[in-house]
């Protein structure tokens, strides 16, 4: 199976030919790769080098925490790639995005109103939790479609606060 | 003399105090809220009593219940830890009135130092320099503040008189900004402390936050255990402390240490306390406030002085004389503490709650961990986000940094996000290594996206690991689900994988 | 000068050495057998290479493969740790011949001290007292031994010339016992070391096992880091060590330290090593043997001297001068180490294998843990049973004991049996507390069934806990299995519960 | 449910009336009892006292490791007790006992032969494992019925070494 994997400005063609046999940008690599704590901690030995990282799924793809650096990694396989190229779209259509409460708490401030356009990083909501005022910013550009909370509300973890379209 | 102590706290500091008691052969009484029944402090104590629901005001702030439990369990003393009731003079007084020893300063000293304005007036009278501001003038009206502000000069800080932890605090860079910020500070202070009074303080730029640890016994002996460097902060929250300070020299240490002892003596201080100073680039220092309790960061001082501060607190409360004189205090090597918080350094340091599914501690030479959590423990949204304190010692500052680097790399906490990567980046920062940082460093001159020589190699490794994980998971899930086709949306596919792996 | 080190070992000591390298900015190369792919030393190293199947002779004893890997990975030095190849002069020579630095003594010194008989002859010639025995006479026949034995006097020990770890060792209390014991010792030594040669040694009763840590650099400086008390043994296996020794005084320390340095100098010693002595009640001491490597128990010395012995080893191997003189070595406080083994103290100390399902380490002030395991790690039958070393420091011996007590109580290891309860009982033993113990204490004057005042209260609590567990499990299993009747056999019922809970 | 629980010389009548309500030798106790690490570690709070112990099943009953003391606990419920009293037997009939290898290793010595009578604690087998010679003693009085190993054999964990009758 062939993949095109990218993180930041870097992009790699990775072909997986069996459990431990890779071609990375055309170069063969034999790997010893396994989960070591039975969860999301993985150990990789390749060409004698030993690496350990936390690999976890996110809504965007996968994130890899390696030696104190966080990499947001997106992966496409051949089929997805062909599909994308044939339809000519350069970004995956996203549809609606539901902003959820990252933890339970009290809504202190709501900086946006329905219909308002927001950019990535714009302050949207202040949630008080763990003795702190926590600012929740927009993860994406878009328009506030539905606002489901108001100041003074107590919210549960993962409760949808608002929907971006 | 008491031989049983009630610990009116939770988390790592409750565990820390229980350990000190155990090592002195003293029995311990824990108290716990609804969500803390399985906390380490409950498990490690000899006795444990239920306090109330999770919110602090219903549990750890219920001084009346805590005193009742102390009486019922025949605890002869109460240790308040830090936070919660630790700096409430009225609570300390109620404890004493109930015939129980309060392991801390006298109620009068707590009250004097607890009101920031009174504290500044008191130490000024004792000849200790304070940051220019509206010291000791208390309860100023908005009009008065608008008049005084230009005399102090901008930038300045509006601070809550009853404040702490950055609440009710606002920076003001010119007179125009003052009215709205003043308003915001007052309402935040009113909400947080039930007291909307504020005062003004000059904002020192390029300043360091350096504090001195004080010990004072009931025979009138007051000594200091040298300084802690606490400038590494984010939004006025300390993240990393060290002792000694890379900024300090011997003569300044001696001078500031004496001033700190004088400040403590001014309120007839007893037990452990900390005098906080701001120090500017020229070595001019100003009293900031006194914390009349054990500090979070006390371990760095313990490690370089060899003293166990919590045991000293207990000895002092038992009426003993300090077992070290100022001359006995010699600093040996260097200690650094990283506060490991459940928060996401890649997402605005947003707190993270959830169950800690795995915790593998760094160990070995020169490493100390103070924590109240363990695998299976739930980080709740009710209390602060401190998971543990990782403290490393080295013969030199360089060795301490290198040791901290390897310890951070070893530390594995799964189930919640932590700020370990933040500390790793700090340890790699050339400015930090050179000791060149002040209280604005994290906010103004530090980024999590620093590029290093390893970046490119690591990008490739990260991509390989992610791809193999995704490949194996997709193969596994196609076997399980027996779908002939994979979903075309990456997002959905990951979603399915998440569901499968839950 | 090298900047990459291959660690020819596994387990806690490999992790210990990797940590030292990291803190010096040196790259590390791990080697691993089939069962160690997921070991901490593999996870923490910068590089890792496969050696071979699990048995040591196919992996960690394969000096040839290890040297090949060092060359291939461009490691400039090899650290052997302890055990395995650490005391093999031929291996050290091969390493040097391959142009790689051996982090340890010169091959000649390893060989000289490795043959017990040669070692005794060498140090005797240097004027160091040795335990009476057949020193330096090597390869004695059974007839010769039968003749010499009465001259030495009973009780005595038959010991393997090539021996270590109690193998090929037998106690003999009179001449009748000698022939069969001699036979047993020879065949055990033959099987274990491929060398059936033995020697005789007087068995000192009421003796203490005290050893001195030596450091020697390539410029001819030799210093000692004071003593370690290692008398707490079971079947010649050390279980607990402390530094300093409660038996020692300043003048004896100085004298024995000088003798130890002299013994090391007699073989032109380089790097870290240990001189073991037996000391009788009158303070008379006898050279026992020299360990030409890092000891398991080195951390107690590190903690009281403040030196990092593994870093010193590396500095010495890099050709550096010792960075401390004898006068710089000052002991501060007291350190105790408990070896935490996977063995059942309630069942003849039988080793226990299996997966460690949970490990909650004791932490906090004055506590150090050196370990190579983590939750999910499998303790295999191929290597020794050491899980970790728990080391506690105190200002005084009393504080160290109290701290060790609380640390042992906090330590939770699930999945295998451990000897933690053994150490807890030792810490409660009045003889241990008083420092009154010798090498026979555990076997002759210690029992796991000591009754204490708490025994009765604890019996009730244990009964309540067991009953509630059994009750809840029986209710749960009856709900699951929906049987109308419980099995009448207690044994079967527990069996079923076990199956259900697996 | 009523139980008679004994450990060593001590014996207790324990009546369980609901999750947290006990009668111990006639005295009422309200307990807060739970597993804290999700495995065999239990925390008990009773009359304000906090205890933590490892509680594990053995072939004989349960063992409790509490503050460095090991308690072998045997528990009988009412029904078992009546049964035992009516049949007049004072010990539970045991039948055959299979001695299993506590770990994988090499059989070095076998001290017993088939048909030999042994007492509790008698040396039976020396098993080499983890670089140590480990003596395996008889856990009970009895007669060696079947001997399944000989010196030089490699055995797996839990492999039956011999059967006592």
């Amino acid at each position: 199976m062939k993949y095109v994997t990218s993180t930041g400005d870097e992009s790699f063609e990775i072909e997986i030919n069996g459990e431990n046999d890779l071609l990375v940008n055309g170069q063969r690599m034999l790997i010893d790769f396994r989960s070591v704590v039975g969860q999301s901690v993985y150990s990789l030995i390749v060409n004698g080098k030993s690496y350990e990282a936390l690999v976890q799924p996110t809504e965007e793809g996968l994130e890899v925490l390696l030696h104190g650096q966080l990499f947001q990694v997106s992966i496409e396989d051949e089929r997805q790639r062909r599909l994308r190229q044939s339809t000519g779209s350069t970004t995956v259509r996203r549809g609606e995005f539901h902003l959820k409460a990252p933890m339970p708490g009290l809504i202190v401030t709501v900086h946006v109103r329905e219909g308002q356009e927001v950019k990535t990083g714009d302050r949207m909501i202040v949630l008080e939790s763990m003795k702190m005022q926590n600012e929740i910013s927009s993860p994406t550009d878009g328009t506030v479609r539905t606002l489901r909370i108001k100041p003074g509300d107590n919210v549960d973890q993962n409760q949808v606060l608002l929907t971006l379209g | 003399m008491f031989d049983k102590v009630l610990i009116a706290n939770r988390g790592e500091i409750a565990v820390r105090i229980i350990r000190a008691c155990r090592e002195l052969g003293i029995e311990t009484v824990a108290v716990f809220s609804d969500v803390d029944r399985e906390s380490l402090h409950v498990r490690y104590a000899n006795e444990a009593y239920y306090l109330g629901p999770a919110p602090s005001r219903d549990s750890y702030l219920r001084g009346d219940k805590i005193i009742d439990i102390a009486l019922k369990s025949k605890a002869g003393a109460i240790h308040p830890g830090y936070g919660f009731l630790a700096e409430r003079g009225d609570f300390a007084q109620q404890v004493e009135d109930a015939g129980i020893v309060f392991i801390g300063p006298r109620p009068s000293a707590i009250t004097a130092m607890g009101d920031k304005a009174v504290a500044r007036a008191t130490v000024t009278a004792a000849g200790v320099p304070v940051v220019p501001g509206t010291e000791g003038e208390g309860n100023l009206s908005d009009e008065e503040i608008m008049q005084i502000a230009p005399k102090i000069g901008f930038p300045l800080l509006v601070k809550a008189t009853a404040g702490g932890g950055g609440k009710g605090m606002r920076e003001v860079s010119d007179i125009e900004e003052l009215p709205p910020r003043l308003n915001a500070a007052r309402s935040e202070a009113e909400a947080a402390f039930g007291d909307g009074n504020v005062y003004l303080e000059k904002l020192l730029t390029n300043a360091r936050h350096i504090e001195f640890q004080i010990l004072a016994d009931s025979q009138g002996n007051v000594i200091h255990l040298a300084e802690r460097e606490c400038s590494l902060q984010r939004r006025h929250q300390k993240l990393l402390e060290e002792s000694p300070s890379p900024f300090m020299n011997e003569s300044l240490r001696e001078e500031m240490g004496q001033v700190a002892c004088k400040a403590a003596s001014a309120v007839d201080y007893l037990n452990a306390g900390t005098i906080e100073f701001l120090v500017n680039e020229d070595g001019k220092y100003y009293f900031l406030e006194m914390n009349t309790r054990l500090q979070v960061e006390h371990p760095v001082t313990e490690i370089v002085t060899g003293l166990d501060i919590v045991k000293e607190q207990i000895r002092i409360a038992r009426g003993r004389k300090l077992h070290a004189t100022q001359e006995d205090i010699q600093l040996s090597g260097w200690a650094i503490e990283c506060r490991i918080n459940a928060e996401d350094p890649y997402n605005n340091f947003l707190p993270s709650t959830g169950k800690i599914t795995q915790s593998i501690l760094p160990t070995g030479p020169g490493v100390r961990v103070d924590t109240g959590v363990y695998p299976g423990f739930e980080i709740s949204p009710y209390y602060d986000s401190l998971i543990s304190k990782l403290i490393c010692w080295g013969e030199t500052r360089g060795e301490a940094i290198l040791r901290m680097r390897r310890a951070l790399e070893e530390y594995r906490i799964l189930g919640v996000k932590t700020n370990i990567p933040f500390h790793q980046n700090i340890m790699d920062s050339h400015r930090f290594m050179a000791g060149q940082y002040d209280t604005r460093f994290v906010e103004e001159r530090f980024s999590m996206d620093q590029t290093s020589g390893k970046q490119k190699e690591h990008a490739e490794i990260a991509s390989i690991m992610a791809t193999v994980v995704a490949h194996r998971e997709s193969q596994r899930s196609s076997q399980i689900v027996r779908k002939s086709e994979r979903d075309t949306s990456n997002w959905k596919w990951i979603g399915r994988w998440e569901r499968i792996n839950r």
Side-chain angles (χ1 to χ4, degrees), chain B residues 67 117 141 177 242 255 287 430:
Chain B
I67 291 170
S141 67
E177 280 185 5
E242 42 186 323
E255 185 185 327
F287 171 84
H430 293 294

Side-chain angles (χ1 to χ4, degrees), chain A residues 57-137:
Chain A
T58 65
E59 299 212 341
E60 315 289 324
L62 286 160
E63 62 178 31
V64 180
L65 186 58
L66 175 67
H67 286 290
Q69 293 177 314
L70 188 76
F71 296 90
Q72 296 289 354
V73 181
S74 65
I75 304 163
E76 266 188 335
D77 64 22
E78 286 168 308
R79 202 173 149 284
Q80 291 166 328
R81 202 176 187 210
R82 276 197 307 273
L83 202 72
R84 182 166 62 74
Q85 283 169 341
S86 69
T87 58
S89 78
T90 49
T91 54
V92 180
R93 242 194 68 76
R94 290 293 305 280
E96 295 198 323
F97 181 88
H98 299 287
L99 184 77
K100 294 172 186 169
M103 62 216 147
L106 176 77
I107 302 294
V108 178
T109 318
V110 179
H111 289 294
V112 293
R113 52 187 198 314
E114 288 188 5
Q116 182 176 337
E117 288 195 9
V118 292
K119 297 227 169 298
T120 306
D122 279 1
R123 300 192 304 171
M124 299 215 288
I125 287 164
V126 178
L127 176 67
E128 185 172 309
S129 188
M130 292 173 126
K131 303 195 332 185
M132 311 242 296
Q133 310 268 323
N134 306 290
E135 292 212 337
I136 301 177
S137 316

Side-chain angles (χ1 to χ4, degrees), chain B residues 204-481:
Chain B
L204 295 176
T205 49
N206 302 321
R208 287 176 174 263
H209 180 127
I210 292 177
E211 60 186 29
F212 274 73
Q213 175 70 50
I214 297 293
L215 288 179
D217 66 20
S218 54
Q219 278 99 78
N221 301 299
V222 183
I223 64 170
H224 71 85
L225 307 184
E227 80 281 3
R228 288 185 290 259
E229 166 70 61
C230 307
S231 302
L232 211 102
Q233 306 181 348
R234 187 181 162 276
R235 293 203 203 161
H236 305 284
Q237 301 276 352
K238 295 171 189 167
L239 286 166
L240 178 153
E241 300 93 354
E242 42 186 323
S243 181
S245 163
F247 184 78
M248 191 59 62
N249 60 54
E250 197 47 60
S251 69
L252 185 59
R253 175 176 300 127
E254 197 171 315
E255 185 185 327
M256 288 180 70
Q258 281 174 8
V259 165
C261 290
K262 211 196 296 180
S265 299
V267 289
D268 196 16
Y269 202 75
L270 178 69
N271 215 294
T274 297
I275 313 281
E276 296 191 335
F277 293 99
L278 282 180
V279 186
N280 73 12
E281 291 162 298
D282 315 322
K284 280 189 79 171
Y285 54 89
Y286 303 93
F287 171 84
L288 198 56
E289 61 177 357
M290 179 167 197
N291 295 317
T292 56
R293 52 158 167 90
L294 188 63
Q295 296 281 87
V296 176
E297 58 271 25
H298 73 277
V300 292
T301 300
E302 293 187 324
I303 289 176
V304 294
T305 61
L307 259 76
D308 185 317
I309 293 174
V310 182
K311 286 186 190 168
E312 291 299 325
Q313 286 194 292
I314 294 169
R315 288 195 190 104
I316 290 167
R318 282 177 148 187
R320 303 273 178 81
K321 195 165 167 289
L322 281 175
H323 94 299
T325 64
Q326 191 64 58
E327 290 67 44
D328 296 332
I329 305 303
Q330 298 296 331
L331 303 190
S332 163
W334 208 283
I336 300 177
E337 169 181 282
C338 290
R339 299 191 187 194
I340 310 300
N341 295 330
E343 51 188 39
D344 185 356
Y346 293 103
N347 187 11
N348 216 15
F349 291 85
L350 214 58
S352 175
T353 57
K355 181 178 274 197
I356 294 184
T357 54
Q358 197 49 271
S359 164
I360 298 176
L361 300 180
T363 60
V367 176
R368 167 174 165 184
V369 182
D370 276 23
T371 186
V373 310
Y374 59 91
F377 185 78
E378 188 96 21
I379 302 281
S380 80
Y382 297 105
Y383 314 111
D384 67 33
S385 59
L386 187 66
I387 294 178
S388 70
K389 303 184 306 202
L390 172 57
I391 309 114
C392 288
W393 175 86
E395 275 191 77
T396 60
R397 184 166 186 266
E399 187 180 43
I401 291 175
L402 285 161
R403 192 163 266 165
M404 182 62 84
R405 237 188 234 181
R406 75 101 178 140
L408 289 165
E409 182 59 33
E410 288 177 17
Y411 206 163
R412 296 273 174 277
I413 299 174
L414 304 182
V416 295
K417 305 255 184 195
T418 77
N419 64 352
I420 289 173
F422 165 80
H423 288 296
Q424 289 183 288
N425 280 279
I426 289 285
M427 291 300 134
D428 287 342
S429 145
H430 293 294
R431 293 186 70 105
F432 177 76
M433 281 189 256
Q436 291 164 351
Y437 62 96
D438 58 34
T439 54
R440 316 285 277 190
F441 174 63
V442 174
E443 280 148 284
E444 293 176 2
R445 288 182 298 283
F446 176 78
S447 151
M448 288 296 288
D449 306 318
Q450 287 165 346
T451 51
S452 74
K454 289 267 181 189
Q455 183 83 28
K456 168 121 195 196
E457 176 200 333
H458 285 170
E460 181 173 355
I461 295 299
S463 297
I464 291 172
M465 292 177 90
T467 307
V468 179
V469 168
H471 174 74
R472 291 192 184 169
E473 290 299 334
S474 84
Q475 295 223 314
R476 190 193 306 176
S477 53
S478 69
Q479 276 167 15
I480 294 169
V481 183

